[in-house]
Structure formats: structure tokens, C-alpha cells
Amino acid sequence: MKKKVTKIGVLTSGGDAPGMNAGIRAVVRTGIYNGLEVYGIMRGYNGMVENDIFKMESRSVANIIQRGGTILKTSRCKEFFTPEGRKKAYDNLTKLGINGLVIIGGDGSFRGAQTFSNEYDIPCVGLPGTIDKDIAGTDFTIGFDTAVNTAVEAIDKIRDTADAHDRLFIIEVMGRDAGYIALHSGIATGAENVLIPERKTDIEEVIKQLAEKERRHKLVNLIVVAEGDEFGGADEIAKIIKERLPMQDVRVCILGHIQRGGSPTCFDRLIASRMGYSAVECLMEGKFNVFVGMINNRMHYIPLNEAVKKKQRISEEWMKIVKILAS
Ligand code: F6P
């Protein structure tokens, strides 16, 4: 039987995502409302290892719901992935009496949480925070909606200039292992093609499609490629197209880290607030080794294992929609 949780720590880990601050705020205020002490842990697991931990009050999270980034800062901590690092982290937490943790991050961060709570008697609950939306067991992750809207806004602007010059633009969006930003932003901006890591890129098919459009004098085309596409990023694709279709006036635009910043959308603020609230409830109910995910607009506790072992699957139908609507 697990001990009753009385003091909880909250941290953000991995790549930052807009809405993380809203999640921190919800954890702090729900914890305090329920009579818990809440501690902020700086720079992800680094703060646990290096004892960079401070007590938070309700006012500590004032005026942050609308801010991108994370007031707790974030990092990818190598030391925590060693037994010695985790032992240090445990000793620092127990000195302060912290007996529950909320980890806001992606699958790498969840892996760390799972290992830690299997080794030590500190229950961990995750909040899925990543712009990539690549966590199995939840329909959405905190930050995805903002990132994809940032991408859409940028691609719409690119379309204006592409249209003015009759150009082909290859736009690279984030997603080292996941194509959700590319797929959603590609459909929403009417892209001709979307290239993602989860699907083999048939470059011959891409060339054939463009050549056929060239014959129809359709020269304004947008291709959205995820950075982790197995064929290469935007520069690589552009190089091949230029060689094969010299008539095309090709330009590349790499959107990069602007997708990670900015004020979170209403949707991200809402899910972060709801997830943060549920994470504290979850710890108080004595559940652990789970993360709070959203399925059909309802919050669920999902085993961390599911996020760590499985991948979200790209729908065949969505890929078909790209193809049909771009014709
Ligand atoms: O996981 C989020 C993400 O933005 C990926 O889409 C991207 O590949 C990666 O982080 C970039 O990480 P970094 O900011 O450390 O270069």
C-alpha cells in the first residue's frame, strides 16, 4: 500500500511545448487547494539530481497561463538515466519529504519517470507535453495545437508569395520521429503532398505528380515535409526536384523552433489545465505509473508503459485525404 501523498514536485522535461506553464499552474493550484505542499523542480530531472528545488505558492504561478516556454525551464538530463543519478535525485527528494511527482514531457521523460517509480517509492504521474503529438494513448498532447497553428499561419503566408511567383515551396516542419505537425498543417493549408517519417517517401511518385501538374500549368505547389522524413528534409527533397524538373522554380522554407514558442492556444491552455488538475487527483487517489491522457475529450489515466512502448498511428484515411484534396 502506497503512502498518502502530502508533498508533490512538478517538473518539465524534454523539448518545451506551449501550454506547459498552464499545466504547471494547474498542478500547483490544485495541489494547494487540496492541502498539499507543491515544489517546483528546475530544468527537468537535472533539478532533482542537483537539488534545484523550491517551494511554490499560488502566486508563484500568477500571470503564466498565457506564456509559452516553461517557468521551470527544461532539459534532457543524461545523469538521471544512470542508477547513480536517480539515487541522488531520490535522496534530494526525500530530504524535502516530497512523496509524489508530476512530470510534464514526452515519451523520453515518461521513460525516466517509469524507471524511477519502479526503483523508488515515489509515485510519478505524467502529463503529455510535446509539440510532436507522438504519445500513444492520448488524442492530443499539450503544445501540439499551438505548434500546428503556428505552422499553418506560416504556410499560409508562404502560399501568398508562392502564388505571386508561381513557385514550388518545400516547407519543413518539426517532427524528428513523428509526422503529425506535417500531416495536420499540410491538410489545413491545402498542400500537394505531405512527407512524414512514418511512411516511405516515394520520390518518383512526388516527381510524377509535379510533372503532371506542370503539364496542366499548375505551378503553385506546396510540399510539407517533416524534418525526420526518411528521404531527407526539405533541402534534400528540393535538390532532387530541381535536378529532375528544371522548369520548377523551387524554394525551401524551414520553420524550425518558431513552432515551439508563442502563446498557447485556448485548446492547449484548456487541456493543460484539465490534465494538471487530473494529475493531482490521480496522485491523491494513490494511482501511479500512469499519465493523464485525453480520449474523446475525457481525461483518462493511461499506463506509462503504453506511451513508452507504443507509437501513435497515422491514419491511412488522412493520407488519402491529402492525395484526393490536392488533385
Ligand atoms: O520533440 C520536440 C521537438 O521539437 C522535435 O520535433 C524536434 O525534432 C526536436 O524537439 C528538436 O529538439 P532540440 O530543440 O533539442 O533541437
Side-chain angles (χ1 to χ4, degrees):
M1 172 90 180
K2 288 265 163 189
K3 281 178 272 170
K4 199 168 167 296
V5 170
T6 50
K7 297 186 182 187
I8 62 171
V10 56
L11 61 89
T12 47
S13 164
D16 64 317
M20 279 183 162
N21 279 328
I24 297 167
R25 175 178 178 269
V27 170
V28 171
R29 293 205 169 157
T30 310
I32 291 171
Y33 173 84
N34 286 293
L36 309 179
E37 280 184 27
V38 186
Y39 290 81
I41 300 168
M42 295 302 293
R43 292 172 291 107
Y45 293 120
N46 267 315
M48 269 163 64
V49 175
E50 292 165 11
N51 203 18
D52 196 356
I53 304 172
F54 69 103
K55 188 150 180 274
M56 297 184 86
E57 308 297 341
S58 187
R59 300 319 300 159
S60 319
V61 289
N63 198 22
I64 65 166
I65 195 167
Q66 78 286 13
R67 282 167 54 192
T70 156
I71 58 161
L72 295 178
K73 300 194 179 281
T74 184
S75 67
R76 298 183 173 101
C77 175
K78 288 209 179 87
E79 203 179 346
F80 191 72
F81 285 83
T82 66
E84 298 73 31
R86 289 192 294 277
K87 171 80 173 71
K88 271 196 218 167
Y90 177 73
D91 290 344
N92 288 330
L93 293 179
T94 44
K95 257 186 257 156
L96 289 166
I98 295 174
N99 48 18
L101 280 179
V102 178
I103 288 100
I104 311 178
D107 59 345
S109 312
F110 285 2
R111 203 165 294 127
Q114 196 185 29
T115 312
F116 187 68
S117 70
N118 283 337
E119 280 173 355
Y120 296 105
D121 59 347
I122 297 189
C124 295
V125 171
L127 293 199
T130 164
I131 63 162
D132 290 347
K133 200 177 92 69
D134 57 346
I135 296 183
T138 182
D139 292 344
F140 285 97
T141 57
I142 298 165
F144 172 75
D145 187 62
T146 308
V148 88
N149 274 294
T150 301
V152 164
E153 200 184 324
I155 298 170
D156 282 348
K157 289 179 177 162
I158 292 167
R159 184 180 276 286
D160 288 345
T161 173
D163 184 61
H165 286 266
D166 281 338
R167 277 178 173 158
L168 162 64
F169 264 86
I170 320 284
I171 301 141
E172 183 177 303
V173 296
M174 273 192 158
R176 202 167 23 205
D177 306 305
Y180 289 97
I181 298 180
L183 184 58
H184 287 232
S185 64
I187 293 179
T189 55
E192 322 304 316
N193 216 328
V194 172
L195 312 178
I196 56 174
E198 293 89 340
R199 292 284 179 281
K200 224 178 147 37
T201 292
D202 186 346
I203 197 73
E204 290 307 321
E205 185 57 36
V206 174
I207 306 273
K208 203 171 115 197
Q209 193 192 38
L210 288 171
E212 193 270 322
K213 291 194 168 156
E214 207 174 273
R215 275 193 293 280
R216 285 196 273 130
H217 302 287
K218 182 182 185 306
L219 297 171
V220 183
N221 290 301
L222 305 179
I223 294 180
V224 180
V225 53
E227 62 179 327
D229 175 63
E230 52 101 23
F231 207 83
D235 282 320
E236 195 59 31
I237 308 276
K239 200 168 140 238
I240 295 163
I241 293 175
K242 275 184 202 163
E243 274 166 21
R244 300 281 300 277
L245 298 171
M247 293 292 286
Q248 294 272 340
D249 193 6
V250 187
R251 292 291 185 278
V252 165
C253 184
I254 297 174
L255 298 188
H257 284 78
I258 65 158
Q259 294 159 96
R260 283 249 291 268
S263 180
T265 58
C266 174
F267 183 80
D268 275 333
R269 296 180 201 193
L270 276 178
I271 64 167
S273 300
R274 292 173 67 197
M275 286 173 174
Y277 164 87
S278 297
V280 176
E281 297 260 300
C282 179
L283 280 172
M284 290 194 316
E285 285 167 23
K287 300 201 175 78
F288 59 96
N289 257 356
V290 293
F291 74 96
V292 180
M294 190 172 97
I295 304 166
N296 295 332
N297 201 25
R298 296 193 57 182
M299 295 300 149
H300 292 264
Y301 302 150
I302 298 140
L304 282 177
N305 219 13
E306 199 156 314
V308 167
K309 294 241 166 79
K310 291 189 198 156
K311 287 209 106 196
Q312 256 208 41
R313 290 184 45 201
I314 294 275
S315 146
E316 280 307 329
E317 197 168 33
W318 282 55
M319 294 305 288
K320 196 171 160 194
I321 289 172
V322 174
K323 219 171 174 173
I324 293 173
L325 300 192
S327 53

